[in-house]
Amino acid sequence: MEEGCMINSHFLGISLFMRCLRMLVRILVLLYLAGAPALAQTLCQPNASNGYKVRISIKTALGNQAYEWNENEMFLFRATMAFAMRRYYKTETYNVDNIIMCNQTLRVSFWFVVTSPENSTMLIPNADVEKAVSMSRHRINNAFLLTDRTLEFLGIHPTLAAPVNPDTPPWLIVFGVVIGAVFAGIIALLVSSLLQKRRKEKGMMEDGQDEEDRQMKGVENDNVLDGIYNRGFTDDDRFTKL
Amino acid sequence: MSIYLLIEDSYHQVKRWHHRYQWVKACQPATMRFPKLPNPGLDDRIPSHQELERMEKEEAGDRPKWDNKTQYMLTCVGFCVGLGNVWRFPYLCQSHGGGAFMIPFLILLVLEGIPLLHLEFAIGQRLRSGSVGVWTAINPYLTGVGIASLFVSFLVGMYYNTIIAWVMWYFFNSFQNPLPWSQCPVNANLTGLVSECARSSPVDYFWYRDTLNTSTSIGDSGGLQWWMVLCLLCAWLLLYVCCLRGIETTGKAVYVTSTLPYVVLTIFLIRGLTLKGSLDGIKFLFTPDLNELMNPSTWLDAGAQVFYSFSLAFGGLISFSSYNSVHNNCEQDAVIISFINGFTSVYAATVIYSIIGFRATERFDDCLEGNILALLNTFNLPEGNITEGNYAESLQNLNGTFPEIIQSLDLKTCDLQTFLSQGVEGTGLAFIVFTEAITKMPVSPLWSILFFIMLFCLGLSTMFGSIEGTVVPLQDLNIFPKRWPKEAITGIVCLVSFIIALIFAQSSGNYWLALFDSFAGSIPLLVIAFCEMIAVVYIYGIDRFNKDIEFMIGHKPNLFWQVTWRFVSPLIVLVIFVFYFVTKVSSNVTYIAWNPSSEDFPTLEVLEYPAWIYVIIFILAGVPSLVVPGTALFKLVQRRCSDKNVYGAEVDTVSAKVQMYTTEMS
């Protein structure tokens, strides 16, 4: 009889232990299920060291054609961020679940953090997120029909376009054209002045030569009658009666 | 000499008695002799009426002539209408009570501008010579007035053409989209905008850094800026090609340079009126504040503006008028040109302020938008919650509930009137305010090109008069040998001016230009104008002048001209001169400088001129003014010296010669 009691108490101990273990596991599972989002919540906090605030101004960008910001848009945002992370790390491990958002306001602004696909409690540091966003900024903007100004990642400065330096500055080209025209004008006017002056001088010289020739003709050839009639030699006495 | 004076004196006395008798009978004030100073030998120095008629018929070939009346009118209009009509008058109008400023402006236009203009036209047409020739003919001791005009034309021409070089630089840079002054350049490591630009504005940066590369004070010369030297070269070469043969070439050029500004102004008016806020600007400009009429500085500024706007005392107008035919109606010309000038000032002011109204409204909208965005972001309110309409009350509500946060935001006060009254004048208006307004218009490069072509034409047509006022006196004074062609003299003038104007191509060039503008183009002109009126009325003789005008245009000038020429206009010019002189001398002479490391940057720093600048100021303002009495003194000394030499020498008369001949023969 005493042996049966001992075996019974042994079995009782083991079943108690198993019951305790099951309860523990149940509690742990419950805790885990309840605490997972809470854990995620603690990961994403406003002013978190590894998160970024995003501010979206749809009405400013699109005016009448503005769309409404709802859960679907949030989903698109998470998908776009996952895409940016994939592109940066060149892996295919990132998923929508890795992007956690919180603190959404009516402004439309919210905070987000990125968790590592291997360890969901580990956050990707700020610097890497910034580089990923900068790399795919253009694609992110276009997904939402927004610009750098209307889809702001506070803390990530939009990369400034590198200045386009043409080989010759455009103003030099216009300057060249104008000064070429001016030089041409000056030369044309000066040359025409010179030609005019030379023509005038030649004309005067020729006139002078003509006169001389005529006079010479008159003196040399007494018989030639196309000299200038010189009134000084006429006999006026016939006409003046004193 | 004294016997001659006695004879002339008694002759005048007899005439006086005769006229007094006639006056008693007829009671006509015009026949009373107006007192004048003795002026012997006047008839020998000027062509008589008969000679003028003869010259008119024979068309003595040497002197250039206008191809037609239109060329003459366009040249005069171009000379009078200049950059001052666009960027000085609107500022004065707006700062002296808007529409009320028109009253002193129009009154002084009629009492001061028109009589002086008529006087210069008539004397040029009558005596058929440039400024030196005219004043020397009236009396050799007055040559100084002509020489002073020469100096002033030369100095003003130098700095005016530099402004044209700046306009050309902006014109060359307008052929790109986006315009270079619409955005700040990126700094060296592409992390942000250049600090100097980010703290001020893209237009300020482009003007002070890219264009002028300005230094921090006038003493710091900073070397020549090669791009400015190129633009200056281009400006002087272009001027040379237009003035090469005197009015032969300028007469053709003015068909474009005098008419294009009006076309562009009209285009800008139409464009401006379609922009938001332009009517606010025009309303602001013309809203009358009659209290300003009590302020003497309003009248002074109006008088000075009328005087400088007419480009009087440069000698250019006298020259242009001397190429006319003798019977040209100069009275009508003077009235027409005066009214065109006044009308252009008002028209340009309307256009400018419609664009300034647009710019002020844009700035106001930007300011308000910035504030609204700050509020939305801080309080995370949805977009569209706060608009321009409910901004004031929303701000009040928020201030009531969260005053500390509102304080920390440091919101700017946005007031449209403040933005409108940020009216600027001078180069600031053209190169900063207007260029900013242009960047906000669609198709900016087109408007920029049009605007700078307009400024270029306005400036170039004024330069024609300046060059005329420099070259013709040089020819009259026989500084260069007579056989040198006009092309060479014009070329030398342009070359020398270009070399000296390289001062303005330095880093400190802007400060030098402001110095020239304040001193070379202000006091000497007033002195010359006053001397001109005294010379014509009292030395040439207003009665003789009246007869000349009667000979030229067919009727005597009426009572209005008599009163203004004899008393009103000289008095106005004297008053303006005295006030100008007193204010300039009594006030501390300062200038404003662009200094990125100053505390109030981007506000311009007020600096005092260094001591050696006063020498330059004396050269600019004092030398031309003192040349007038100086030359008179020089001529007096010259005559005394030559008298002493002749004193006791052989008497060279006909009788003496005949005697010698007969003695020889016998």
Side-chain angles (χ1 to χ4, degrees), chain A residues 53 55 57-60 105-107 109 160-161 163 170-171 174-175 178 182-183 185-186 189-190 192-193 197, chain B residues 169 172-173 175-176 190-192 226-227 230 234 237-238 240-241 244-245 376-377 380-383 485 487:
Chain A
K53 181 170 181 182
R55 194 184 290 145
S57 317
I58 311 175
K59 286 214 186 74
T60 316
T105 67
L106 284 172
R107 168 67 179 81
S109 68
L160 300 159
W171 76 267
V174 187
F175 168 77
V178 170
V182 167
F183 268 121
I186 292 180
L189 281 174
L190 284 176
S192 79
S193 286
K197 223 167 272 177
Chain B
W169 162 258
F172 294 150
N173 275 293
F175 285 88
Q176 41 185 303
L190 297 187
T191 51
W226 65 270
W227 58 93
L230 284 182
C234 190
L237 281 176
L238 227 152
Y240 180 56
V241 84
L244 200 57
R245 287 204 221 143
L376 288 179
N377 289 346
N380 286 319
L381 303 163
E383 287 177 284
E487 289 89 337

Side-chain angles (χ1 to χ4, degrees), chain A residues 134-148:
Chain A
S134 300
M135 195 166 117
S136 309
R137 189 64 184 266
H138 190 60
R139 302 291 298 272
I140 302 173
N141 285 350
N142 275 347
F144 293 95
L145 307 173
L146 298 173
T147 65
D148 280 350

Side-chain angles (χ1 to χ4, degrees), chain A residues 13-30:
Chain A
I14 291 173
S15 67
L16 201 68
F17 176 69
M18 288 306 292
R19 219 185 294 160
C20 287
L21 201 65
R22 242 178 274 150
M23 218 148 87
L24 204 66
V25 169
R26 226 176 279 153
I27 289 170
L28 275 172
V29 167
L30 270 171

Side-chain angles (χ1 to χ4, degrees), chain B residues 65-123:
Chain B
K65 276 175 17 117
W66 297 109
D67 288 344
N68 51 49
K69 185 75 182 276
T70 317
Q71 264 188 14
Y72 166 62
M73 293 296 275
L74 283 178
T75 309
C76 288
V77 165
F79 187 27
C80 294
V81 170
L83 295 169
N85 295 69
V86 164
W87 70 33
R88 176 101 177 119
F89 178 80
Y91 169 74
L92 285 177
C93 203
Q94 168 266 116
S95 64
H96 283 297
F101 185 74
M102 297 296 169
I103 300 175
F105 181 72
L106 286 172
I107 292 178
L108 287 169
L109 185 99
V110 168
L111 291 179
E112 180 198 354
I114 304 185
L116 274 168
L117 202 62
H118 187 195
L119 190 117
E120 288 212 353
F121 281 162
I123 203 78

Side-chain angles (χ1 to χ4, degrees), chain B residues 131-144:
Chain B
S131 63
V132 163
V134 158
W135 305 119
T136 313
I138 292 182
N139 194 316
Y141 291 116
L142 287 176
T143 315

Side-chain angles (χ1 to χ4, degrees), chain B residues 471-520:
Chain B
V471 168
V472 171
L474 284 175
Q475 285 181 315
D476 287 344
L477 288 170
N478 295 322
I479 303 235
F480 298 107
K482 264 208 155 40
R483 50 184 191 78
W484 282 22
K486 188 160 190 156
E487 289 89 337
I489 301 180
T490 315
I492 291 178
V493 168
C494 286
L495 183 68
V496 172
S497 300
F498 167 67
I499 291 175
I500 303 181
L502 287 175
I503 309 175
F504 304 122
Q506 297 173 316
S507 277
S508 53
N510 189 26
Y511 308 133
W512 282 98
L513 199 131
L515 184 73
F516 269 64
D517 190 25
S518 319
F519 293 104

